[in-house]
């Protein structure tokens, strides 16, 4: 037997029922009502029930907090007096005039806070078709909208990356052919110059111009390569490996330039360094990118770059120190952002790729820098699979989310140094 038929039978026989049974039935009813009240108050949906004169006969806690009504008397009030947001009042007036259901209509309100609501209103009619009550349901959609907007933004960033990579690839072919032809012109000019005894000024101009052309083609090719690498997803293949070997390999790549520019390249590596789960190729790219910046930052005659490795309590520490121009504090927060560069020829992609690679290793990156004194980049790598929790460092990049790091590209092979 259902509750309502039980209740009507109970009421029809109430004269014959003894007082203790009536008491127990009423207690039961009150308990059930309280229980229902708790359930309704804990719903995410705000609920109003209005009578035929649009006065509030029921309001759950959610609607009170959505509409900022906690400090006000709500029951018995005409609803129009409680609605402060214009868009909500507009919906109310529409419903009052037509009594037609409103289904999940989205509105933006500015009071009590800027939010997006989906509002529904349904008339409840008696058997003669007269509206006796109406039920209003208000759902806060602000978070759902924010998440959808974020997803949309991530999507467009991804498709932009694909587009950039595609264009970069297309540029490479004509660039190669430009390179070959510029070299042909250059060698033809040399031949002519030799034949004419090397005294023709217009041939000299031609040689100078082709050299400029070749340099600029090289520069464009480098930029295009960086874009292609940056747009590629980073996938690390972590395996037990020796980080010192990575540092030595990068040092080998840098040595010719260091010798030429009389820059001291110092390796201060812990010989006892245990193996760590890393992707040596990716790590090499990260260290190379940092070290190339160090080379570019050194503007004094006694340049010095130091690679350090050390074992800490729960991580390996790799440091790349230079005595270059240093990084201003404002800039140090932005250097890991894509396209942030202070260089005329820079792309601002190098450190973004570094950041992504370190994060894909479960590591942390930070830096200490003094303008005019130099910069030390510090990379902490976990010893096992656990990500590092704490690391004592200066500035750490806070703007990038881990998701951006895993999804977004990194290079496959180290960029050759010319
Ligand atoms: P790019 O080298 O193309 O400018 P990066 O992402 O490699 O892009 O570096 C971003 C910026 O960070 C550089 O333009 C520079 O201003 C700064 N930077 C990075 N490393 C150093 C360093 N060792 N010393 C001084 N400035 C640095
Ligand atoms: Mg760089």
């Amino acid at each position: 037997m259902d509750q309502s038929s039980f209740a009507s039978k109970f009421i029809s026989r109430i004269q014959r029922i003894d007082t203790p049974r009536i008491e127990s039935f009423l207690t039961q009813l009150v308990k059930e009502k309280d229980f229902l009240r708790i359930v309704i108050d804990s719903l995410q949906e705000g609920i109003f029930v209005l009578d035929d004169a649009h006065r509030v006969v029921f309001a759950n806690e959610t609607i009170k907090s959505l509409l900022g009504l906690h400090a006000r008397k709500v029951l018995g009030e005409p609803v129009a007096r409680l609605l402060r947001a214009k868009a909500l009042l507009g919906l109310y007036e529409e419903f009052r005039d037509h009594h037609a259901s409103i289904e999940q209509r989205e509105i933006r309100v500015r009071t009590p806070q800027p939010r997006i609501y989906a509002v529904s209103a349904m008339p409840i009619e008696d058997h003669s078709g007269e509206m006796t009550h109406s039920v209003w349901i208000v759902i806060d959609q602000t978070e759902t909208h924010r998440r959808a907007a974020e997803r949309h933004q991530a999507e467009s960033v991804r498709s932009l990356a694909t587009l950039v990579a595609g264009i970069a690839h297309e540029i490479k072919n004509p660039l190669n052919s430009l390179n070959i032809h510029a070299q042909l012109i250059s060698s033809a000019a040399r031949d002519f110059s030799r034949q004419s005894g090397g005294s023709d000024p217009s041939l000299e101009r031609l040689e100078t111009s082709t050299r400029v052309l070749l340099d600029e083609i090289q520069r464009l090719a480098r930029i295009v390569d960086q874009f292609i690498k940056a747009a590629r997803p980073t996938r690390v293949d972590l395996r037990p490996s020796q980080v010192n070997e990575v540092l030595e390999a990068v040092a080998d790549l840098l040595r010719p330039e260091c010798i030429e520019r009389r820059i001291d390249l110092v390796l201060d590596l812990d010989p006892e360094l245990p193996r760590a789960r890393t992707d040596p190729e990716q790590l090499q790219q990260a260290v190379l990118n940092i070290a190339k910046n160090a080379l570019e930052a050194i503007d004094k005659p006694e340049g010095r770059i130091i690679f350090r490795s050390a074992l800490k309590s729960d991580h390996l520490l790799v440091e790349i120190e230079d005595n270059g121009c240093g990084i201003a504090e404002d800039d140090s927060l932005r250097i890991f952002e894509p396209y942030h560069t202070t260089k005329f020829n820079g792309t601002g992609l190098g450190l973004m790729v570094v950041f992504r690679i370190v994060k894909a290793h479960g590591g942390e990156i930070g830096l200490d820098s003094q303008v005019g004194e130099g910069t030390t980049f510090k990379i902490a790598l976990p010893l096992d699979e656990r990500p590092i929790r704490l690391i004592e460092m200066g500035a750490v990049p806070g703007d990038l989310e881990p998701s951006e790091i895993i999804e977004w590209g990194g290079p496959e092979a180290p960029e050759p140094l010319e």
Side-chain angles (χ1 to χ4, degrees):
M1 191 190 319
D2 74 29
Q3 280 277 332
S4 59
S5 57
F6 176 76
S8 51
K9 255 189 201 158
F10 188 89
I11 289 162
S12 69
R13 293 178 196 163
I14 201 156
Q15 305 289 358
R16 282 175 279 149
I17 303 172
D18 56 21
T19 316
R21 280 197 66 197
I22 294 177
E23 271 174 12
S24 111
F25 180 68
L26 287 178
T27 317
Q28 178 70 19
L29 271 185
V30 169
K31 267 195 199 150
E32 276 172 18
K33 184 171 172 267
D34 284 349
F35 177 71
L36 273 181
R37 178 83 217 190
I38 291 169
V39 171
I40 289 176
D41 279 341
S42 62
L43 289 177
Q44 302 245 316
E45 288 84 358
I47 301 172
F48 261 152
V49 180
L50 312 181
D51 64 12
D52 57 346
H54 309 287
R55 279 185 302 251
V56 178
V57 293
F58 176 84
N60 71 349
E61 289 301 310
T62 315
I63 195 101
K64 288 186 204 163
S65 73
L66 286 180
L67 304 188
L69 296 174
H70 271 303
R72 296 197 53 176
K73 178 174 174 292
V74 171
L75 289 187
E77 291 296 307
V79 76
R81 249 192 244 163
L82 302 173
L83 304 177
R84 277 181 288 157
K86 253 197 208 146
L88 261 176
L89 261 176
L91 277 189
Y92 160 70
E93 281 161 11
E94 178 187 328
F95 183 81
R96 182 197 57 197
D97 298 343
H98 305 289
H99 285 184
S101 291
I102 291 173
E103 276 176 39
Q104 296 252 347
R105 192 86 60 80
E106 264 188 12
I107 55 165
R108 283 168 193 271
V109 299
R110 262 181 273 151
T111 50
Q113 285 164 351
R115 319 281 311 163
I116 301 169
Y117 292 150
V119 181
S120 305
M122 286 145 286
I124 297 175
E125 291 160 357
D126 61 15
H127 38 261
S128 63
E130 279 294 304
M131 186 183 96
T132 61
H133 291 88
S134 61
V135 178
W136 288 72
I137 298 175
V138 178
I139 304 170
D140 189 350
Q141 298 277 32
T142 319
E143 262 305 291
T144 320
H145 270 258
R146 195 186 56 76
R147 277 200 296 272
E150 268 180 16
R151 264 201 307 279
H152 177 72
Q153 202 182 358
E155 273 301 310
S156 37
V157 167
R158 254 193 296 276
S159 44
L160 191 65
T162 316
L163 184 72
V164 166
I167 293 174
H169 267 294
E170 291 304 316
I171 291 175
K172 283 216 85 173
N173 289 337
L175 215 50
N176 277 338
S177 132
L178 276 178
N179 192 24
I180 291 165
H181 285 279
Q183 283 184 29
L184 288 175
I185 295 174
S186 170
S187 77
R190 265 198 310 275
D191 289 349
F192 279 134
S193 175
R194 226 177 289 123
Q195 283 162 18
S196 67
S199 56
D200 189 338
S202 43
L203 277 177
E204 258 171 47
R205 276 204 305 278
L206 185 64
E207 272 190 273
T208 316
S209 294
T210 40
R211 242 193 326 273
V212 173
L213 265 182
L214 281 165
D215 284 351
E216 291 298 292
I217 288 170
Q218 286 293 335
R219 192 165 75 87
L220 260 180
R222 266 200 310 278
I223 293 173
V224 167
D225 272 342
Q226 286 188 30
F227 272 97
I228 291 173
K229 284 175 179 174
R232 233 175 249 162
T234 304
R235 276 192 199 90
V236 284
D237 173 16
L238 301 177
R239 51 204 192 263
S241 35
Q242 182 49 260
V243 170
N244 283 346
E245 284 170 13
V246 169
L247 295 174
E248 276 157 3
V250 177
D252 288 344
L253 284 170
L254 297 184
R255 205 159 280 117
E257 184 174 346
C258 288
I259 290 169
E260 195 187 310
R261 289 179 53 197
R262 294 169 197 273
I263 291 172
D264 223 0
L265 180 60
V266 182
L267 293 190
D268 175 9
L269 309 181
D270 179 351
E272 307 282 297
L273 202 72
R275 295 163 89 80
R277 278 175 60 78
T278 59
D279 181 326
E281 289 81 29
Q282 296 277 0
L283 199 60
Q284 181 169 337
Q285 180 69 60
V287 175
L288 186 62
N289 285 8
I290 296 175
K292 281 179 75 178
N293 283 339
L295 279 175
E296 285 160 5
I298 290 174
D299 47 6
K300 36 179 102 72
E302 316 83 41
R304 192 189 64 242
I305 295 177
I306 307 175
F307 286 180
R308 275 193 210 93
S309 67
L311 174 64
K312 299 287 164 179
S313 59
D314 69 342
H315 62 272
L316 292 189
L317 185 63
V318 172
E319 291 186 353
I320 296 114
E321 183 185 315
D322 68 63
N323 62 346
C325 60
I327 302 171
E329 196 161 333
D330 275 0
D331 277 340
S332 71
L333 296 171
R334 303 194 51 212
I335 55 170
F336 295 98
E337 288 174 15
Y339 312 122
H340 174 79
T341 181
T342 54
K343 298 170 195 166
F344 177 67
N345 280 339
T347 58
L349 293 171
L351 288 182
M352 180 206 74
V353 168
V354 170
F355 185 69
R356 217 185 301 152
I357 293 174
V358 172
K359 284 289 167 181
H361 278 79
E364 293 284 353
I365 182 163
L367 65 134
D368 285 333
S369 190
Q370 285 285 329
V371 173
E373 302 278 309
T375 306
T376 305
F377 277 86
K378 304 177 176 199
I379 300 175
L381 296 168
L383 278 172
D384 50 33
E385 278 153 87
R386 278 175 298 145
I388 293 166
R389 257 163 267 125
L390 249 181
I391 162 168
E392 299 149 26
M393 279 184 183
V396 288
D399 290 358
L400 294 172
E401 288 294 313
S403 57
E404 292 176 67
I405 302 142
I406 310 299
E407 283 169 18
W408 271 72
E412 260 160 14
E415 216 176 287
L417 283 171
E418 45 322 337

